[in-house]
Amino acid sequence: MAFTHGAFLPLFLHLCLLSWSARAKVTVTMDESVEVYLGDSAQIPCQYSFTDANNEPSFVMIQWFVRRARNSSRMRIFYGDGSQQIVDNNTDYTGRIQVTSDQQGTRLTIQKVQLSDEREFFCQVNGLAAGTAEGKTHLRVFAPPQAPVIEGVSTGISVTNEIPSKVASCEVQNGFPKPNITWYRNGMPLISTPGYVNVLILVTREPSAFFSVQSTLEYKVIKEDKDAYFSCEVSFYVPGAVRTVESSAINITVHYPTTMVELWKESPQGLVKEGDTVELRCQGDGNPPSPFIFSREQELDVDLESSSDVLVLSPVSRKDSGIYQCRPLDTDTHTDVKGEMQLTVHYLDPAVVVPKDSEVMLKGEDLTATCNALSSLKTSTVWYKNGKQVGKGNTLHLQDATYETKGEYICEVTVPSLPALHTSGSVHIIVQGAPQLVGADQEVHLEEATGRMVNLSCEAEGYPLPTISWSIIGSQDWHEVVSKANEHIIHSVVSVKVTSDISAQCNASSDMGTEVKTFSIKAIPRVTTTAPFSPAEGSGVIIVVIILCLLLLAILGSVLYFLHKKGKIPCGRSGKQEITKEKTTKDDIVVEMKTNTKNEEAVLLKAVNGDKKGPNDQVTIVLDQQGE
Ligand SMILES: *[C@@H]1O[C@H](CO)[C@@H](O)[C@H](O)[C@H]1NC(C)=O
Ligand SMILES: *[C@@H]1O[C@H](CO)[C@@H](O)[C@H](O)[C@H]1NC(C)=O
Ligand SMILES: *[C@@H]1O[C@H](CO)[C@@H](O)[C@H](O)[C@H]1NC(C)=O
Ligand SMILES: *[C@@H]1O[C@H](CO)[C@@H](O)[C@H](O)[C@H]1NC(C)=O
Ligand SMILES: *[C@@H]1O[C@H](CO)[C@@H](O)[C@H](O)[C@H]1NC(C)=O
Ligand SMILES: *[C@@H]1O[C@H](CO)[C@@H](O)[C@H](O)[C@H]1NC(C)=O
C-alpha cells in the first residue's frame, strides 16, 4: 500500500465526512450519449443537485473518468474542487479537455474528437457530507464513409448456372461506425434469399480505426436481367440521423440460350431468278448469338456450308428451290428450335418457236406459228417483224401470205413480275410463188427521140428467185446496165438506143411461172424533138436571128425596089399582092449555125415575115449549142 500523499488526503477526508453527514444527498444527471462528428469538439454536461437544498455542502469535489480502451478499468482525466482544477498528466486527454463548472453542474469539453474517444465518460461528484454520486455518458463519434464504388462482372453470366453467380461488388471505405450496404435491382432492394440472392460482406477495420465494407452480390440471373440495372447503397449513422448514398448503376451481360430462330432471305430483294446469288440469314434470340447449321428439309442430315449465320447460294438454279432450315448450335438437340423458309427460284427457259428456223409458205397460204418458253411465272409474248409489233400472245396467225409476209418474225417472251427474265426466238418465213413484177404498170409506153438511149427497168419478186430475160425488137443496140438480185427480188435495167420504134419484153420467170412486162417506145424524129432551153441564152439567139431577118428583109426590099424601078414588077395594090404570091416560090433561107457539138440540142425557131399573108416565107435556123 503506497498511496501518494496527494491522493491519500482527499480519500481520507471523504471517508470521514461520509460517516458524520448522511442526511444531505447528491444526485448526478447525465445524457446517456452525446453524438459528435469526428474532429468536432464534444460537450458532455454533468448536472448535479443536493436533496437538502438548505444544507448544500461548501466543498464539492468533481472528477472525470474515462473507461480504458483495452480493459474495463477506469482512468481519471480531471480533478477539480473549490481551490484547484487539475487535468491529469499523461492521459489521452491531457491538453485536449476543458471543464467548466457553475452552480448547477459541470461540463467536459473535448476538442478535436477522435475515433478513440468513442467511450464512456464518468462524472463523479463528491459533496462530503452529502455523499458521492456519479453518472456516465457514452460519447459517440461519427465519420461518414466515402461514396460507394460498384463494379459489375464484365464477363457474361449464364442463366443456366445452377447457383447464384457473382454479379457485382460494392465497396465503401472509411466510415465510422460500420456502414451497411444494401443491393438494388431496378431500384428495388434485393433481399437475401437462399438459392437466389446471396450477399457476402467483408468488413475491414482499418489501422486508422475506420471501417471499410465490401459487399459481393451473388445472384441467379434470368434472361430479363439483360435489361436490368444493379446498384448498391450505403447507409450510415450521423449525429441524430441515418444517411444513405447510392452508387452508380451497372448492367450485366446475360448469356441465355436460343429459344427462337428466324430465317429470311437477305438478298436479292424481291423474286429470285436462276443465276442470282442468294443470301439467307439466320438470327436467333440467344446471347451471345449462336452459330447456326443450315440444311434443306429434304435432306436434314446434310449440313450446308455456311458462315455462322449466313448461307450463300450462288448461282441458284430451280433445283435450289425448297424449304431451308437453320438450327442454333448452342441449344441441346432435344429442343426443336429452328428457323424455316421457302426459297423459290424462278426460271424462264429458252423460247421454242414452231415452225423452227425457217418455213416456206406458198403465196396465199395460212400459217400459225407458236412461241413457247417454259417459266415458273406468268409470261407475256409479243411478236415483232422489222422492229414493229405484229402480234401478241404465243401464237401468230399469218393469213393469205403475200411476198410482204416474208421475213424474220421474232417472238419476245418476258416475265412481267420479274423483268430480268426474258428470252426470244425467231422463225424465218419464206413465201414461195410465181414471179411478180414490182411496180404497177405491166405495159409501158414511151416516146423517145431517135438516136437517144433509153433505160428500161424491170424488177420482179418471187421465190424461188426468178430470172429476167429480155427480148427487144426494133433495136440491135442494147445492153444490160444494171443486174442485181437479193434473195427475193431481181432487178434488171437495159439501156436501149432508139433507132426506130421499139417493142421490148421483160420476161421474169421461175419454176413457179412467168410474168412479162412490155415496153413500147415510139421513136420521134430528131428535128421535131423539142427540148427545153434556157430562156437567157435563147433570147440572145433570138436577137441575132431578128437582126439577120431585118438584114435580109432590107436586101429583099432593095432588090424588089430595084426591079420595080426597072418596071419588071407592076406596082399598085393588086400588084403588091401578086408579088407576095409569087414569092411563095422557094424562097426559104436556111441558116445553120454550128458550134462544137457533143450533146445534141436542137432549137427550132420560126421567124415569119412581117406579112402574115405569106406563110411560106419562113426562116429556119437550127442551132446546135454546146452545154445545154
Ligand atoms: C488496465 O490497464 C492499465 C494500464 O494498461 C493497468 O494499469 C491496470 O492495472 C489494468 N487493470 C486491470 C484490472 O487489468
Ligand atoms: C504535471 O506535469 C507538470 C509538468 O510536467 C507539472 O508541473 C505538474 O505539477 C504535474 N501535475 C500533476 C498533478 O502531477
Ligand atoms: C446496419 O445493419 C444492422 C443489422 O441489420 C442494423 O442493426 C443497423 O441499424 C444498420 N445500420 C444502419 C446505418 O442502417
Ligand atoms: C447497359 O449496357 C448498355 C450497353 O453496354 C448501355 O448502353 C446502357 O447504357 C447500360 N445501362 C445501364 C443502366 O448501365
Ligand atoms: C441508164 O442507167 C445507167 C445506169 O444506171 C445510167 O448510168 C444512165 O445514165 C442511164 N441513162 C439514162 C438515159 O437515164
Ligand atoms: C419467158 O421465158 C421462158 C423461159 O425463158 C419461156 O419459156 C417463155 O416462153 C417466155 N415467155 C415469153 C412471154 O416470152
Side-chain angles (χ1 to χ4, degrees):
M1 272 282 192
F3 281 110
T4 59
H5 192 75
F8 178 73
L9 183 66
L11 188 61
F12 172 75
L13 286 170
H14 169 85
L15 293 171
C16 295
L17 290 169
L18 195 67
S19 56
W20 65 258
S21 174
R23 282 184 296 144
K25 252 192 131 187
V26 61
T27 50
V28 171
T29 314
M30 288 182 81
D31 296 328
E32 194 195 317
S33 66
V34 165
E35 303 189 332
V36 66
Y37 278 113
L38 175 70
D40 284 0
S41 53
Q43 298 200 337
I44 303 173
C46 174
Q47 250 95 49
Y48 55 88
S49 58
F50 299 92
T51 43
D52 186 1
N54 300 324
N55 194 15
E56 268 187 35
S58 53
F59 179 86
V60 176
M61 187 169 68
I62 291 166
Q63 296 179 97
W64 283 92
F65 299 87
V66 67
R67 190 161 332 257
R68 277 207 169 84
R70 282 171 191 82
N71 56 29
S72 55
S73 64
R74 290 171 19 167
M75 178 174 68
R76 198 184 73 182
I77 54 171
F78 177 84
Y79 171 88
D81 58 27
S83 58
Q84 52 186 339
Q85 306 271 313
I86 300 162
V87 175
D88 287 87
N89 273 354
N90 303 321
T91 74
D92 295 339
Y93 296 93
T94 311
R96 262 206 311 138
I97 52 170
Q98 279 175 323
V99 175
T100 50
S101 302
D102 55 26
Q103 288 304 111
Q104 279 75 43
T106 178
R107 177 183 297 259
L108 172 69
T109 303
I110 308 161
Q111 274 146 10
K112 290 199 182 104
V113 168
Q114 300 163 3
L115 292 187
S116 54
D117 297 337
E118 164 98 15
R119 50 174 89 180
E120 284 170 331
F121 288 84
F122 299 87
C123 169
Q124 193 182 80
V125 179
N126 194 324
L128 295 179
T132 303
E134 74 171 28
K136 64 172 181 181
T137 291
H138 197 138
L139 181 65
R140 295 186 185 275
V141 183
F142 298 89
Q146 289 165 13
V149 176
I150 190 169
E151 200 179 338
V153 169
S154 55
T155 56
I157 304 158
S158 176
V159 298
T160 55
N161 290 356
E162 307 258 311
I163 52 162
S165 323
K166 181 181 170 184
V167 162
S169 65
C170 183
E171 190 169 10
V172 169
Q173 284 188 328
N174 299 335
F176 194 92
K178 179 180 83 67
N180 285 351
I181 290 176
T182 316
W183 285 96
Y184 290 86
R185 175 185 178 274
N186 291 345
M188 300 293 288
L190 281 168
I191 314 297
S192 276
T193 317
Y196 293 96
V197 181
N198 292 339
V199 177
L200 309 179
I201 298 164
L202 176 68
V203 180
T204 311
R205 190 81 201 252
E206 307 286 349
S208 55
F210 285 118
F211 289 99
S212 288
V213 181
Q214 195 184 30
S215 177
T216 301
L217 173 66
E218 289 181 349
Y219 175 77
K220 195 168 185 321
V221 294
I222 52 171
K223 190 176 165 183
E224 286 67 37
D225 291 323
K226 69 189 166 72
D227 302 318
Y229 60 94
F230 293 85
S231 62
C232 64
E233 183 191 72
V234 61
S235 57
F236 51 90
Y237 290 111
V238 294
V242 175
R243 290 238 182 100
T244 60
V245 173
E246 208 178 323
S247 73
S248 56
I250 55 136
N251 55 14
I252 56 172
T253 307
V254 180
H255 285 176
Y256 40 91
T258 308
T259 58
M260 206 189 71
V261 174
E262 216 180 332
L263 177 62
W264 72 92
K265 172 167 63 72
E266 183 122 298
S267 73
Q269 300 207 320
L271 297 173
V272 176
K273 62 179 191 305
E274 285 191 326
D276 283 351
T277 294
V278 174
E279 273 188 29
L280 303 184
R281 185 177 290 276
C282 190
Q283 198 174 62
D285 62 349
N287 187 45
S290 158
F292 298 94
I293 312 172
F294 290 85
S295 56
R296 293 184 66 171
E297 202 185 40
Q298 54 262 58
E299 22 180 37
L300 283 175
D301 46 338
V302 178
D303 294 348
L304 300 170
E305 203 179 303
S306 63
S307 64
S308 92
D309 64 340
V310 177
L311 175 68
V312 179
L313 302 168
S314 175
V316 286
S317 74
R318 66 196 74 180
K319 279 186 255 160
D320 294 312
S321 292
I323 292 169
Y324 285 79
Q325 290 188 347
C326 67
R327 287 166 198 278
L329 276 168
D330 68 351
T331 44
D332 45 24
T333 44
H334 307 296
T335 55
D336 192 30
V337 179
K338 66 177 181 200
E340 212 172 62
M341 71 158 288
Q342 162 86 45
L343 176 68
T344 306
V345 180
H346 293 289
Y347 56 88
L348 174 65
D349 280 347
V352 174
V353 182
V354 176
K356 236 176 102 182
D357 303 334
S358 64
E359 178 76 3
V360 176
M361 292 174 76
L362 288 177
K363 253 177 90 180
E365 262 188 348
D366 296 344
L367 178 92
T368 299
T370 61
C371 175
N372 286 296
L374 193 63
S375 177
S376 52
L377 293 165
K378 200 168 148 32
T379 59
S380 154
T381 306
V382 178
W383 293 85
Y384 294 95
K385 186 189 177 201
N386 298 330
K388 277 172 69 185
Q389 187 180 328
V390 293
K392 239 182 149 189
N394 60 338
T395 58
L396 176 71
H397 300 287
L398 297 175
Q399 279 165 337
D400 190 14
T402 65
Y403 287 129
E404 294 284 290
T405 312
K406 71 171 194 291
E408 183 159 45
Y409 289 80
I410 296 172
C411 72
E412 288 204 353
V413 182
T414 54
V415 178
S417 52
L418 191 45
L421 283 181
H422 55 83
T423 183
S424 66
S426 69
V427 58
H428 195 94
I429 296 291
I430 296 158
V431 177
Q432 198 175 50
Q436 182 177 313
L437 292 165
V438 177
D441 297 337
Q442 292 264 105
E443 280 179 39
V444 180
H445 297 278
L446 293 171
E447 288 191 357
E448 191 54 79
T450 313
R452 300 203 48 195
M453 301 298 288
V454 64
N455 278 351
L456 306 180
S457 170
C458 185
E459 201 173 0
E461 187 173 13
Y463 190 90
L465 190 67
T467 53
I468 288 180
S469 61
W470 292 89
S471 74
I472 294 162
I473 300 161
S475 176
Q476 300 299 311
D477 191 358
W478 65 272
H479 60 278
E480 195 171 34
V481 291
V482 173
S483 172
K484 56 184 182 188
N486 62 23
E487 228 179 314
H488 302 277
I489 294 183
I490 184 158
H491 188 195
S492 172
V493 177
V494 290
S495 190
V496 182
K497 179 154 192 177
V498 181
T499 49
S500 59
D501 288 358
I502 294 170
S503 149
Q505 279 190 341
C506 160
N507 182 347
S509 64
S510 73
D511 294 348
M512 307 295 292
T514 300
E515 277 285 289
V516 175
K517 183 175 181 179
T518 60
F519 298 86
S520 58
I521 304 157
K522 190 174 163 46
I524 301 163
R526 251 172 100 82
V527 183
T528 55
T529 303
T530 57
F533 60 88
S534 165
E537 289 182 21
S539 59
V541 171
I542 290 166
I543 291 164
V544 173
V545 169
I546 290 169
I547 292 168
L548 286 172
C549 290
L550 290 174
L551 218 77
L552 288 169
L553 284 172
I555 294 166
L556 191 68
S558 53
V559 169
L560 288 175
Y561 180 73
F562 180 76
L563 292 176
H564 177 71
K565 277 274 178 174
K566 294 272 177 186
K568 279 189 178 174
I569 299 167
C571 206
R573 276 192 174 223
S574 56
K576 244 183 186 176
Q577 281 175 336
E578 271 169 39
I579 289 170
T580 39
K581 275 187 179 168
E582 277 174 20
K583 241 184 80 199
T584 54
T585 56
K586 297 295 171 201
D587 251 345
D588 293 353
I589 299 164
V590 172
V591 178
E592 214 171 7
M593 285 177 71
K594 266 214 156 139
T595 52
N596 223 358
T597 67
K598 203 167 178 202
N599 286 3
E600 294 167 329
E601 279 293 341
V603 177
L604 175 67
L605 288 167
K606 281 186 180 175
V608 181
N609 193 338
D611 192 352
K612 290 223 169 162
K613 282 158 187 170
N616 290 330
D617 293 354
Q618 61 175 7
V619 179
T620 303
I621 300 167
V622 175
L623 290 171
D624 278 344
Q625 294 178 280
Q626 187 181 20
E628 178 52 54

